[in-house]
Amino acid sequence: MEIPIKTICCIGAGYVGGPTMTMMASKCPDLIFNVVDINETRIASWNNEDLSKLPIFEPGLEELISRTRNKNLFFSSNVKEAIESADIIFISVNTPTKTTGLGAGKSSDLKWVEASAREVAKYSKGYTIVVEKSTLPVRTAEVIENILNSAKTNSSREEISFSVLSNPEFLAEGTAIKDLDNPDRVLIGGKNKQAMTALSNIYKAWVPEEKILFTNIWSSELAKLTSNAFLAQRISSINSISAICEVTGADVREVSRAIGKDSRIGSKFLDSGPGFGGSCFKKDILNLVYLAEYFGLTEVANFWESVVEINSWHQKRISEIIVKKLFGTVANKKLVILGFAFKANTNDTRESAAITICKNLLNEGANLLIHDPKVTASQIENDLKINSTKTSENDNYSLIEKLGNWEHIKSIHNLEIFNNAYAIIILTEWEEFRELNWREIAKKMVQPAWVFDSRSIVNVKEVQDAELSLWRLGDGLGN
Ligand code: NAD
Ligand code: UGA
């Protein structure tokens, strides 16, 4: 018998909950989607009339929101009401790495997942399908089931019952809408076939049936961690090769192209960069490491941990190269940082390589001017954790807010910002950085002036013609 589905609730209106429910709402106009969050500021931003003020920047999101919001998609803080009316509840809350206690530094902090499960236990009515959308350690479904079942025994509401499913999300930030619209696969893990079918029916509104995979619940949880671990491993692999390229005269872009033509390897995720960032790769690998250690699989744990270690080493290596090229010191030198987000087309800075590299340079005494088209000054301040000495006075440059020993630049159109800079360091691959007028910029800088391109986006000839010294990741340039 088919389970009737009319109303969906999503707990967590973040980078996953927001876009995922928006896509579902746009594809399933007959279903109601209630997205709830304890963060009222975030909910207010999701409800902002001005779509440029949505809490996350994601190409294509504004258009989808304008078609669905307040029609069959609702954002609110009313967790109780949303749970009570839901046939399916997605748990899409944050699962960061624990910072204290058992498993600190490796295992995921499940306190938000547990709190969500307890809310579901408290308010749900009748039969409810509870879906793990967050990325979770293997066997978390068991924890959720225990919490839900204990509510059943403790409650006078005898009619409540649950099925727990795993339905991990594979979207990448910056391409979330495209990824959700045309996913490589939709993974549904569980043991109740009727519940799995009910969930798959939502996706079938736009995803071809052959792309919807059913597995057991533990395989689904583990497949999500494994998928991120494999992707991150490719980046660490190519970044390690970039260091070899720099000393041998090989070019990492040519090596990537050559190996990517092998259909067994494939060409994606072979771009060498300043090291992977984002909220998930490091967290999910460390989760896998913790799992392997827990089961005494030391060699397995060491193998995956090295992927994270290479990433940290690589970021440190880039910081050191910058200092060495600038005659061994950056103290009191003005350096312009272009890009702070962990990748282009997002305002997310979690685990961004820019945070580590900027902190390293600040520790060396540098004066940084930081620009990112979508990251705010307050976000940068939060990430760098440097006490702000913010003044409302804008002095030298009309577009700059002063923030202690680093400054935020809102726009790079006024080339005055490059005045007396010793170097420009490109850390995120935003399109606008491809179009800089190097000849004009060079005139403003202190000679010998450097461009450090960690994303391989500048036109080498234009930079060299402007008589700027260029260091590019993964080849002999600048050595
Ligand atoms: P996020 O921090 O952007 O959003 C999580 C939201 O959950 C926050 O707004 C928070 O206030 C809310 N929340 C926490 N506890 C709550 C509660 N008890 N009730 C209501 N709301 C609550 O996180 P995110 O980036 O959306 O990631 C969510 C999960 O999805 C994580 O497990 C992550 O690993 C996974 N994931 C993330 C991505 C990504 O690209 N960001 C992609 C795939 C999977
Ligand atoms: C990643 C995965 O790609 C998604 O499938 C997954 O759902 C998500 O993590 C998650 O679980 O959170 P995301 O972190 O948003 O998505 O972005 P990616 O495109 O994977 O980039 C991650 C990092 O790797 C970025 O810092 C990016 O610059 C870097 N990267 C990516 C490279 O350095 N080289 C590449 O070739 C690709």
Side-chain angles (χ1 to χ4, degrees):
M1 208 182 64
E2 209 170 274
I3 301 169
I5 303 296
K6 187 78 196 132
T7 308
I8 283 96
C9 161
C10 177
I11 305 178
Y15 282 86
V16 168
T20 308
M21 293 303 120
T22 306
M23 178 58 71
M24 285 185 179
S26 77
K27 301 290 186 182
C28 307
D30 296 333
L31 300 179
I32 302 291
F33 293 82
N34 293 310
V35 188
V36 289
D37 203 295
I38 44 174
N39 182 337
E40 291 184 6
T41 315
R42 210 165 206 187
I43 289 297
S45 304
W46 279 112
N47 283 322
N48 202 313
E49 294 272 305
D50 178 354
L51 292 174
S52 70
K53 302 254 164 48
L54 293 177
I56 67 176
F57 171 74
E58 197 58 68
L61 180 63
E62 291 179 19
E63 205 263 321
L64 276 191
I65 288 276
S66 69
R67 285 204 271 126
T68 51
R69 197 177 57 186
N70 297 331
K71 293 189 180 94
N72 66 330
L73 173 68
F74 303 91
F75 293 94
S76 88
S77 299
N78 198 336
V79 176
K80 177 175 180 281
E81 224 169 71
I83 291 177
E84 277 173 351
S85 64
D87 304 305
I88 298 186
I89 298 174
F90 288 91
I91 297 180
S92 188
V93 298
N94 35 319
T95 52
T97 306
K98 271 182 96 171
T99 50
T100 54
L102 193 67
K106 282 192 185 141
S107 76
S108 283
D109 193 339
L110 296 181
K111 68 170 173 257
W112 293 275
V113 173
E114 182 179 335
S116 305
R118 289 190 187 281
E119 300 276 281
V120 174
K122 195 156 139 200
Y123 299 125
S124 64
K125 289 189 169 161
Y127 172 69
T128 311
I129 299 172
V130 179
V131 183
E132 299 174 341
K133 186 49 109 177
S134 296
T135 304
L136 296 168
V138 185
R139 299 202 80 89
T140 304
E142 211 163 52
V143 177
I144 295 177
E145 257 169 11
N146 282 342
I147 293 171
L148 298 177
N149 288 334
S150 68
K152 234 164 53 178
T153 29
N154 294 336
S155 155
S156 52
R157 302 170 294 150
E158 269 159 30
E159 81 286 10
I160 58 170
S161 61
F162 308 94
S163 290
V164 178
L165 303 179
S166 159
N167 172 222
E169 185 48 60
F170 295 99
L171 68 80
E173 289 177 31
T175 53
I177 299 303
K178 206 168 100 295
D179 298 341
L180 288 165
D181 197 24
N182 185 19
D184 285 345
R185 79 310 211 176
V186 167
L187 182 55
I188 298 176
K191 43 184 187 248
N192 181 327
K193 285 283 172 308
Q194 279 182 324
M196 293 163 83
T197 306
L199 177 58
S200 73
N201 283 342
I202 297 182
Y203 286 105
K204 274 189 211 154
W206 79 100
V207 179
E209 203 165 341
E210 62 276 11
K211 284 190 176 180
I212 303 177
L213 310 182
F214 282 6
T215 65
N216 82 34
I217 200 154
W218 321 126
S219 305
S220 173
E221 289 176 336
L222 184 58
K224 172 62 196 177
L225 295 181
T226 309
S227 177
N228 274 358
F230 269 57
L231 290 169
Q233 168 268 317
R234 279 173 76 93
I235 301 169
S236 277
S237 298
I238 200 67
N239 282 343
S240 74
I241 298 300
S242 74
I244 297 183
C245 289
E246 284 163 29
V247 289
T248 55
D251 180 332
V252 76
R253 285 149 293 269
E254 292 178 358
V255 175
S256 287
R257 203 167 75 229
I259 65 169
K261 290 283 179 204
D262 185 326
S263 59
R264 295 167 302 173
I265 296 174
S267 61
K268 292 184 181 154
F269 267 70
L270 287 180
D271 289 334
S272 189
F276 59 76
S279 61
C280 297
F281 278 175
K282 185 173 166 192
K283 150 177 98 64
D284 294 348
I285 294 175
L286 292 176
N287 215 321
L288 205 57
V289 170
Y290 184 71
L291 186 77
E293 279 173 355
Y294 181 83
F295 288 105
L297 301 166
T298 310
E299 286 73 13
V300 177
N302 292 346
F303 173 73
W304 286 110
E305 195 159 20
S306 72
V307 172
V308 175
E309 282 166 1
I310 280 279
N311 199 51
S312 306
W313 170 81
H314 184 67
Q315 290 171 4
K316 187 161 153 269
R317 184 177 89 79
I318 294 176
S319 318
E320 286 172 0
I321 286 171
I322 295 168
V323 176
K324 280 187 196 147
K325 296 288 173 206
L326 295 175
F327 305 113
T329 176
V330 290
N332 298 319
K333 289 181 178 168
K334 174 173 160 181
L335 311 179
V336 178
I337 305 289
L338 297 183
F340 202 79
F342 80 96
K343 63 187 281 196
N345 295 317
T346 178
N347 60 342
D348 197 348
T349 60
R350 290 177 289 182
E351 297 292 338
S352 177
I355 300 174
T356 313
I357 293 173
C358 287
K359 276 186 178 170
N360 289 345
L361 295 172
L362 288 168
N363 279 338
E364 295 278 344
N367 295 327
L368 306 182
L369 258 68
I370 305 175
H371 168 72
D372 186 287
K374 292 290 171 192
V375 180
T376 61
S378 61
Q379 184 60 51
I380 297 172
E381 185 170 23
N382 203 28
D383 290 330
L384 293 178
K385 300 214 170 41
I386 286 177
N387 288 338
S388 164
T389 52
K390 191 171 179 178
T391 64
S392 53
E393 274 293 280
N394 286 346
D395 48 13
N396 289 345
Y397 323 109
S398 59
L399 300 165
I400 294 175
E401 291 174 75
K402 269 198 158 284
L403 291 167
N405 48 0
W406 61 272
E407 296 172 24
H408 173 242
I409 319 165
K410 285 196 176 131
S411 156
I412 49 171
H413 294 309
N414 179 356
L415 297 189
E416 297 298 299
I417 61 151
F418 297 102
N419 273 352
N420 302 320
Y422 286 73
I424 296 169
I425 302 160
I426 299 174
L427 297 179
T428 314
E429 70 283 21
W430 287 100
E431 272 307 305
E432 68 175 40
F433 303 154
R434 291 181 201 274
E435 292 146 18
L436 293 168
N437 184 338
W438 294 110
R439 220 175 258 281
E440 289 307 308
I441 289 171
K443 288 183 197 157
K444 314 257 174 221
M445 296 177 70
V446 178
Q447 299 301 331
W450 279 87
V451 174
F452 295 91
D453 181 8
S454 73
R455 294 284 189 172
S456 303
I457 64 165
V458 302
N459 181 314
V460 172
K461 185 165 180 313
E462 281 175 20
V463 175
Q464 288 174 337
D465 285 353
E467 294 188 4
L468 289 162
S469 305
L470 173 65
W471 176 86
R472 195 165 61 149
L473 186 68
D475 61 22
L477 272 182
N479 284 343

